[in-house]
């Protein structure tokens, strides 16, 4: 059915259509507020994810699967927040911008339709007034003709009136009749014209205008329906990606390996020293200054416990060289084996962390590409490829770098010297090979100590001791876990503090005493001999 003459209440239609436009604007405002909620929610989720991201000082966290799983969850949550931003952006472009533009269009169109309607109404009213004027003129002319006719007849019957006056009255009556006849024809003609116009007004012009207003109103209702559908679709489009984010969190949770993590703890905190052997009987009857018997030196010790001034090749000096004495290489070869292993592992963990970050980015982009493939209207799947290629290249570089720090088993042990080394003879100690300075002062003893466990001093600067052996202390532990001891005038070096029990002399110099000038110039640790090659 169409709106026609029966719907001729222009005022009511004007009110109804204005209310419809107001409703569109109210709905647009509603969607705007919804997008603000989405964007605020996304911002809060992003901030939460950022707040709990590990700090630089917490880099150790990356070693453990449960920490990595939580970090993955934070990254997925960041992507999750991004999807709520997509809702906001799409509702802004597909609903708010569209309806704002449409509301302006419909206002202009409505104004035009009602302007045409008012104009048509005014036209028919003007025509009606013109018809009324024609009718009244015809009525007046008829009355004047009657009056002229009666006056003529009156004069014609009066014998006292001259013939000339009667003739004049007759002509006047005749003229009035002619005028009345003309008015009648004019009125008749205009009436016919008006009836045609009135017919066209009520059956063509006004119905057409109403029809346009009706079409406009139906289109507005249809647009409301489309927008409501879009409102749901914009939300529905992100559900697959939200699902992938949640899948990522589930996968991260499933990647947790409790046994792996507990073994990492063991790796992190093991000391690198062998556990002590059985405690043996202590014989206090033996002399204080006893020397190590030849039988207590095993073959391996006779190899390693060498003349400190011998020309041994490429011995690693640890941990007694001041940092400025050794140029550190990237492989931490200046460190003791266990510490070196830990440093290398930490380096590998750092690189793995970077690899994980690149992989997380790759996963997020892959998800996006999958969604683009399924929903091309959301974006071009190929646009993601250059970034994916770049990430693959980065991962390859990082993996190659990590491989450089992988250390094969057994590489931590020192190469035995190719030359057969003999035990130092007292007379050779005078030769000056021990240090560059021949006039090196001998440090005073500050107490004695007893070796609780055997220790093979295979590295430069250390000294071998047998279990229960008594030695002089010449320098107390400075906080690095090593004590400097002397066996006799020729043999001195460092032993792990945990391997000896120290008895300080009451009149000994306090900890941190100033060493003699000759030692101060080179630091308080032994310097490498002239023939030692430092890596």
């Amino acid at each position: 059915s169409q709106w026609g003459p029966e719907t001729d209440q222009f005022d009511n239609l004007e009110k109804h259509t204005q209310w419809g436009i107001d409703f569109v604007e109210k709905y647009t405002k509603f969607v705007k507020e919804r997008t603000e909620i989405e964007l605020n929610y996304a911002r809060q989720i992003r901030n939460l994810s950022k707040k709990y991201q590990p700090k630089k000082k917490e880099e150790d966290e990356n070693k453990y699967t449960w920490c990595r799983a939580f970090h993955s969850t934070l990254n997925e949550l960041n992507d999750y927040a991004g999807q709520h931003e997509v809702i906001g952006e799409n509702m802004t472009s597909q609903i708010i911008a569209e309806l704002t533009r449409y509301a302006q269009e419909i206002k202009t169109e409505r104004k035009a339709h009602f302007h045409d309607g008012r104009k048509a109404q005014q036209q028919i009213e003007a025509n009606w007034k013109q018809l009324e004027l024609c009718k009244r003129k015809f009525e007046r002319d008829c009355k004047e003709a009657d009056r002229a006719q009666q006056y003529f007849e009156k004069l014609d019957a009066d014998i006292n009136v001259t013939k000339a006056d009667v003739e004049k009255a007759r002509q006047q009556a005749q003229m009035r009749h002619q005028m009345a006849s003309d008015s009648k024809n004019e009125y008749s003609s205009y009436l016919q014209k008006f009836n045609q116009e009135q017919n066209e007004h009520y059956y063509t012009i006004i119905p057409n205008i109403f029809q346009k207003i009706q079409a406009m109103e139906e289109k507005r209702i249809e647009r409301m329906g489309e927008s409501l559908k879009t409102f749901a679709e914009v939300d529905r489009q992100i559900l697959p990606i939200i699902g992938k984010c949640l899948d990522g969190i589930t996968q991260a949770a499933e990647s947790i390996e409790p046994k792996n993590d507990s073994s990492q703890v063991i790796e992190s905190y093991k000391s690198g020293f062998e556990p002590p052997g059985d405690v043996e009987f202590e014989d206090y009857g033996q002399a204080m200054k006893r020397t190590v018997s030849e039988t207590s030196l095993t073959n391996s010790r006779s190899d390693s416990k060498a003349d400190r001034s011998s020309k041994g090749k490429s011995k690693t000096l640890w941990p007694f060289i001041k940092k400025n004495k050794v140029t550190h290489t990237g492989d931490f070869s200046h460190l003791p084996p266990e510490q070196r292993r830990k440093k290398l592992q930490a380096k590998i963990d750092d690189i793995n962390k970077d690899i994980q970050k690149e992989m997380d980015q790759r996963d997020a982009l892959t998800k996006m590409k999958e969604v683009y493939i399924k929903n091309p209207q959301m974006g071009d799947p190929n646009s993601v490829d250059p970034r994916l290629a770049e990430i693959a290249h980065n991962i390859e570089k990082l993996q190659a770098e990590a491989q450089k720090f992988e250390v094969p088993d057994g590489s931590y042990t020192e190469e035995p010297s190719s030359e057969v080394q003999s035990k130092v003879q007292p007379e050779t100690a005078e030769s000056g090979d021990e240090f560059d300075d021949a006039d090196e002062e001998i440090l005073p003893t500050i107490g004695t100590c007893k070796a609780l466990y055997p220790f093979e001093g295979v590295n430069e600067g250390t000294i071998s001791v047998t279990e229960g052996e008594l030695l002089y202390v010449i320098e107390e532990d400075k906080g690095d876990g090593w004590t400097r001891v002397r066996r006799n005038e020729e043999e001195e070096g460092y032993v792990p503090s945990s391997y000896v029990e120290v008895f300080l002399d009451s009149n000994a110099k306090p900890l941190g005493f100033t060493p003699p000038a000759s030692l101060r110039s080179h630091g308080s640790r032994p310097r490498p001999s002239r023939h030692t090659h430092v890596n």
Side-chain angles (χ1 to χ4, degrees), residues 333-349:
S333 58
H334 61 287
L335 294 175
E338 186 58 29
Q339 284 170 291
R340 178 178 182 238
R341 195 190 65 70
K342 284 182 185 175
K343 284 282 186 188
L344 287 172
Q345 188 57 47
K347 190 79 180 168
I348 291 165
D349 288 344

Side-chain angles (χ1 to χ4, degrees), residues 85-95 230 234 237 378:
E85 284 168 354
V86 169
I87 291 180
E89 288 159 10
N90 288 352
M91 282 189 176
T92 301
S93 61
Q94 294 175 33
I95 300 177
T230 306
V234 164
Q237 278 170 358
M378 290 180 76

Side-chain angles (χ1 to χ4, degrees), residues 198-212:
Q198 182 177 255
N199 194 286
E200 193 181 354
H201 175 82
Y202 284 107
Y203 289 97
T204 306
I205 296 169
I206 291 298
N208 280 349
I209 292 168
F210 283 155
Q211 205 175 335
K212 285 173 185 173

Side-chain angles (χ1 to χ4, degrees), residues 14 17-18 20-22 24-25 99-117 209 212-213 216-217 220:
E14 266 192 308
T17 50
Q18 182 59 51
I21 292 169
D22 292 345
V24 169
E25 289 180 331
L99 286 187
T100 304
R101 187 175 51 76
Y102 177 64
Q104 285 308 116
E105 282 175 14
I106 197 175
K107 279 178 189 175
T108 308
E109 188 187 342
R110 173 183 170 279
K111 193 175 175 183
H113 293 327
F114 282 101
H115 177 264
D116 291 349
I209 292 168
K212 285 173 185 173
I213 295 169
M216 177 192 76
E217 183 67 2
R220 178 191 67 78

Side-chain angles (χ1 to χ4, degrees), residues 307-326:
D307 175 2
R308 298 290 173 230
S309 65
S310 72
K311 299 160 184 58
K313 289 185 182 171
S314 186
K315 295 279 270 182
T316 306
L317 307 175
W318 65 276
F320 313 113
I321 309 302
K322 289 282 184 186
K323 278 182 184 170
N324 61 355
K325 299 272 177 151
V326 178

Side-chain angles (χ1 to χ4, degrees), residues 9-170:
Q9 301 180 47
F10 262 87
D11 289 347
N12 286 338
L13 277 182
E14 266 192 308
K15 280 177 194 167
H16 180 81
T17 50
Q18 182 59 51
W19 177 64
I21 292 169
D22 292 345
F23 199 91
V24 169
E25 289 180 331
K26 181 170 84 170
Y27 173 71
T28 307
K29 188 170 178 284
F30 157 77
V31 179
K32 201 171 186 178
E33 287 185 28
R34 159 76 195 268
T35 63
E36 282 164 11
I37 290 170
E38 290 292 342
L39 295 175
N40 282 333
Y41 176 64
R43 187 162 54 251
Q44 285 175 306
I45 292 287
R46 274 200 195 283
N47 289 344
L48 180 68
S49 172
K50 193 176 173 185
K51 181 181 173 184
Y52 282 88
Q53 286 288 352
K55 307 289 181 289
K56 283 269 184 194
K57 60 187 177 189
E58 296 165 357
E59 282 178 353
D60 277 359
E61 282 191 13
N62 218 38
K63 284 197 290 199
Y64 304 110
T65 60
W66 47 278
C67 289
R68 289 205 297 270
F70 178 55
H71 300 161
S72 296
T73 298
L74 294 177
N75 292 336
E76 292 292 355
L77 204 58
N78 214 34
D79 293 348
Y80 176 92
Q83 293 314 306
H84 285 276
E85 284 168 354
V86 169
I87 291 180
E89 288 159 10
N90 288 352
M91 282 189 176
T92 301
S93 61
Q94 294 175 33
I95 300 177
I96 298 168
E98 283 292 305
L99 286 187
T100 304
R101 187 175 51 76
Y102 177 64
Q104 285 308 116
E105 282 175 14
I106 197 175
K107 279 178 189 175
T108 308
E109 188 187 342
R110 173 183 170 279
K111 193 175 175 183
H113 293 327
F114 282 101
H115 177 264
D116 291 349
R118 294 281 176 218
K119 199 174 166 186
Q121 209 103 355
Q122 285 162 4
Q123 185 63 45
I124 201 74
E125 282 167 16
N127 289 351
W128 171 259
K129 281 176 187 170
Q130 190 64 41
L131 178 67
E132 283 290 299
L133 289 172
C134 283
K135 189 171 81 171
R136 279 196 215 108
K137 185 174 183 293
F138 171 49
E139 188 184 10
R140 273 199 315 274
D141 287 351
C142 284
K143 280 177 183 174
E144 288 295 326
D146 281 349
R147 206 175 291 126
Q149 181 65 29
Q150 284 169 7
Y151 181 65
F152 159 66
E153 285 173 359
K154 185 184 170 187
L155 288 186
D156 192 33
D158 192 342
I159 52 163
N160 297 323
V161 177
T162 62
K163 202 172 184 179
D165 285 344
V166 171
E167 183 57 29
K168 193 178 173 183
R170 188 184 65 76

Side-chain angles (χ1 to χ4, degrees), residues 414-530:
E414 295 294 329
E415 286 278 337
S417 172
S418 58
E419 295 178 20
V420 176
Q421 297 170 335
S422 59
K423 194 163 181 251
V424 67
Q425 295 303 316
E427 58 272 13
T428 64
E430 301 292 317
S431 67
D433 278 348
E434 176 69 28
F435 300 113
D436 289 341
D437 300 90
D439 61 343
E440 190 71 72
E441 286 179 32
I442 296 171
L443 290 176
T445 62
I446 58 168
T448 58
C449 70
K450 185 179 75 178
L452 302 174
Y453 319 109
F455 173 70
E456 291 185 14
V458 294
N459 290 87
E460 190 72 38
T462 62
I463 185 170
S464 295
V465 294
T466 55
E467 188 181 323
E469 187 178 351
L470 297 169
L471 302 114
Y472 293 103
V473 176
I474 55 173
E475 191 178 331
E476 216 180 335
D477 189 338
K478 294 286 179 67
D480 58 6
W482 296 85
T483 300
R484 193 169 178 184
V485 299
R486 181 184 295 136
R487 177 174 288 112
N488 49 46
E489 283 184 6
E490 290 79 42
E491 289 186 279
E492 69 174 48
Y494 287 84
V495 292
S497 302
S498 57
Y499 276 44
V500 292
E501 187 177 4
V502 177
F503 311 94
L504 292 178
D505 294 343
S506 55
N507 63 348
K509 298 266 186 175
L511 183 66
F513 71 93
T514 308
S518 60
L519 270 185
R520 277 206 306 277
S521 65
H522 304 295
S524 60
R525 296 285 186 260
R527 298 173 63 210
S529 73
R530 281 197 300 251

